[in-house]
Amino acid sequence: MSGEPAGRVLIASNRGPVSFSLGDDGRLTTRRGGGGMVSGLSALAGRAEVLWVCAALNDADRAAARAAPDGQLDVSLTADGAPPGGPASVVRMLDIPAPVFDRAYNGVANSTLWFIHHLLYDTPNRPLFGLAFRREWESFRAYNAAFADALAEGAGPRRAGARAMVQDYHLTLVPRMLAQRRPGLPIAHFSHTPWAPVDYFALLPDDVAREVLEGILGADHAGFHAQRWASAFLDCCEAMLGARVDRAAQTVRHAGHTTTVGVHPLGVDAPQLRARAAADDVQAHVSALTQVAGDRKLIVRIDRTELSKNIVRGLAAYRELLITRPQWRGRVTHLAFAYPSRHDLPEYREYTATVQRTAREIVDEFGTEDWLPLVLQVNDDYPRSLAAYRLADVLLVNPVRDGMNLVAKEGPLLSERGCVVVLSREAGAAAELAEGALLVNPYDVSATAQALHEALSMDSAERNRRGALLAQASAACPPQRWLAGQLSALEATALR
């Protein structure tokens, strides 16, 4: 990271960099979080004084928060788990009342805002914004206010050099609330999701839509993974707020305040990922998966069972491949790792059941005594996922919509076979990977099946050429650079 951040950096996210579990003996154990966001933001540890504010997500988290002074936990945020050896790193977990958290997180964040930005509603039936939603929205306000209060307190009365970095759709109201509590504090907000086009965003009640937009515009800088999401946000600000939008400068002027809008694509820490993929536990899975596949080609997908990931259409495309291209029967195996997600919501439970039923139908239709056409795994296993990347001939990533999608970037960096990526054009990653991937319309099952055939049939020279392009693009903006770009953009706002 260029330069050394000065002063305190305040980070806010729903899920923190650590979580807790309660053992049979009643003792709390700590687990460090994963993912690009945690890796990027944790890069600050040892370089700046970090206060990371997050929510307690389970009973063990709540117990840890209650046992710590002011809910502040002294934990290491460094990648290797060693003490930072520099400025202090503190995590503050907010013990938000469970009913308030549930209404805010499940009712609004995951059942409303997520559905809006990923265009997931069955519009003849949903959404339905009535009294129940209004109660959920009040809880969403209270949940965001708890974060704003904690950040304002953490910044101190007039702490020199403090900056706040607010993460994602769960906390869209925080920037405005924090700016009101701490005028002059530099604030950035980053959206890890797509942003809905104006007509779809307008499904929200008018006052809620304005409050979401004005919440983010409380920040001095708003970041997105791709230009199309940033442009959609600018469109919404202009159409729904009447804000003054300068598209050349990518700024929004509203209520006397200017917010810059930037594009910060998140990539992969290639050396760290490759080192993890070389570990013994991953190698054990490589051996096991090799036995399952034999000398067949492997189509791999790795996702959460999340509605936007489009797993069912991906399975339908694989089935159509086997129907229309019978030469692949017995010569290819599909490894589909679909890990549990949001089972508190009925739509997700039903979707998981559909995934499992579709997978069984494919096995029943095409399987033989010596060929298992599809292996579906629904239990989360990170080392196994890394092993699958290493063995992949084809990586299928076909989300309906995705803010970025790091799976599309991790696979090419680890594949030992020069995997071809069949990628939805609706993923944010498509903006960076278009030259090397085979782009598909995620709704077009036949086109996806054709792309799978093309990928399986591709000669080694073309596979290697595309694989090199994908690997280069995937590693171009590692988490540390992603973070540094946002800090630089936030610092630039102070010079206006």
Side-chain angles (χ1 to χ4, degrees):
M1 186 180 302
S2 60
E4 293 297 318
R8 168 170 276 202
V9 177
L10 312 168
I11 299 169
S13 62
N14 177 69
R15 184 179 299 275
V18 295
S19 61
F20 291 86
S21 58
L22 196 62
D24 294 336
D25 59 359
R27 293 185 179 181
L28 291 169
T29 57
T30 308
R31 178 182 177 185
R32 187 179 185 274
M37 184 183 78
V38 171
S39 297
L41 297 173
S42 295
L44 285 169
R47 298 171 179 267
E49 184 182 353
V50 175
L51 171 64
W52 194 319
V53 179
C54 59
L57 301 182
N58 55 44
D59 291 340
D61 285 353
R62 293 186 180 93
R66 291 166 187 167
D70 299 323
Q72 295 195 165
L73 311 159
D74 292 314
V75 298
S76 170
L77 300 181
T78 52
D80 60 3
S89 302
V90 175
V91 174
R92 180 175 178 183
M93 281 190 169
L94 303 180
D95 184 13
I96 297 169
V100 173
F101 179 84
D102 179 67
R103 289 191 292 267
Y105 180 72
N106 287 320
V108 175
N110 288 340
S111 293
T112 303
L113 297 181
W114 181 272
F115 273 60
I116 286 288
H117 289 313
H118 291 84
L119 316 185
L120 294 177
Y121 277 123
D122 171 19
T123 52
N125 300 298
R126 296 187 62 221
L128 194 159
F129 296 119
L131 292 175
F133 174 76
R134 289 298 169 176
R135 186 185 184 205
E136 291 170 344
W137 187 251
E138 285 303 317
S139 292
F140 189 70
R141 282 183 180 143
Y143 159 85
N144 276 253
F147 275 85
D149 289 340
L151 292 169
E153 179 183 346
R158 292 195 176 275
R159 179 180 283 274
R163 289 154 291 172
M165 304 188 70
V166 182
Q167 301 297 306
D168 224 0
Y169 64 103
H170 314 86
L171 303 178
T172 52
L173 307 185
V174 168
R176 174 70 63 191
M177 291 176 170
L178 180 56
Q180 292 169 345
R181 289 159 172 76
R182 278 298 315 274
L185 175 70
I187 303 168
H189 183 276
F190 192 87
S191 294
H192 292 266
T193 64
W195 195 270
V198 172
D199 289 348
Y200 208 89
F201 191 76
L203 291 176
L204 289 170
D206 291 351
D207 60 325
V208 170
R210 288 193 296 269
E211 194 169 349
V212 168
L213 294 170
E214 289 178 338
I216 292 180
L217 292 179
D220 301 289
H221 182 73
F224 298 87
H225 278 306
Q227 182 59 53
R228 65 182 299 192
W229 314 140
S231 296
F233 175 74
L234 294 174
D235 292 342
C236 287
C237 290
E238 186 174 56
M240 307 194 78
L241 297 178
R244 192 170 70 202
V245 172
D246 184 335
R247 283 180 171 75
Q250 294 226 134
T251 60
V252 182
R253 181 75 177 172
H254 179 66
H257 181 261
T258 298
T259 301
T260 62
V261 176
V263 177
H264 308 281
L266 175 61
V268 178
D269 186 333
Q272 184 182 77
L273 182 67
R274 286 172 173 146
R276 180 64 185 90
D280 290 343
D281 57 347
V282 177
Q283 185 58 47
H285 283 293
V286 167
S287 299
L289 292 175
T290 299
Q291 283 189 323
V292 170
D295 59 356
R296 300 179 182 92
K297 289 183 177 291
L298 282 180
I299 299 173
V300 171
R301 80 168 304 133
I302 298 170
D303 281 309
R304 292 175 291 112
T305 48
E306 150 61 49
L307 303 181
S308 66
K309 298 302 182 183
N310 208 25
I311 299 171
V312 172
R313 287 192 186 91
L315 293 175
Y318 178 61
R319 179 177 181 270
E320 188 164 316
L321 170 74
L322 298 179
I323 292 172
T324 60
R325 306 283 183 173
Q327 66 266 34
W328 291 115
R329 296 179 195 176
R331 296 178 54 209
V332 64
T333 295
H334 186 9
L335 299 180
F337 298 160
Y339 301 142
S341 176
R342 298 175 183 167
H343 273 214
D344 290 341
L345 302 178
E347 298 95 333
Y348 288 81
R349 294 193 297 271
E350 293 166 9
Y351 191 73
T352 299
T354 302
V355 168
Q356 293 172 316
R357 183 175 63 253
T358 305
R360 285 194 301 269
E361 291 171 353
I362 291 172
V363 172
D364 290 344
E365 183 175 0
F366 298 102
T368 65
E369 289 185 3
D370 58 357
W371 175 49
L372 185 62
L374 172 66
V375 177
L376 174 68
Q377 295 287 351
V378 296
N379 59 311
D380 196 350
D381 191 325
Y382 183 58
R384 184 179 59 199
S385 297
L386 296 179
Y389 283 143
R390 287 175 54 180
L391 296 174
D393 293 288
V394 180
L395 186 65
L396 176 58
V397 185
N398 67 317
V400 170
R401 257 186 157 219
D402 224 333
M404 173 51 67
N405 196 298
L406 290 180
V407 168
K409 294 184 171 184
E410 291 170 344
L413 287 167
L414 295 184
S415 175
E416 297 166 1
R417 303 181 180 184
C419 77
V420 181
V421 177
V422 176
L423 177 62
S424 167
R425 67 191 187 194
E426 299 302 314
E432 301 162 81
L433 305 183
E435 190 175 356
L438 298 178
L439 296 187
V440 295
N441 173 349
Y443 299 97
D444 191 337
V445 169
S446 294
T448 304
Q450 173 59 31
L452 291 174
H453 170 69
E454 183 180 343
L456 291 168
S457 306
M458 193 174 291
D459 64 64
S460 58
E462 180 64 5
R463 294 171 67 86
N464 291 334
R465 184 189 74 82
R466 288 176 176 270
L469 291 172
L470 292 169
Q472 182 179 18
S474 298
C477 191
Q480 297 82 355
R481 187 175 298 173
W482 168 77
L483 173 64
Q486 293 173 74
L487 286 170
S488 295
L490 186 57
E491 290 166 2
T493 65
L495 303 177
R496 292 198 308 264

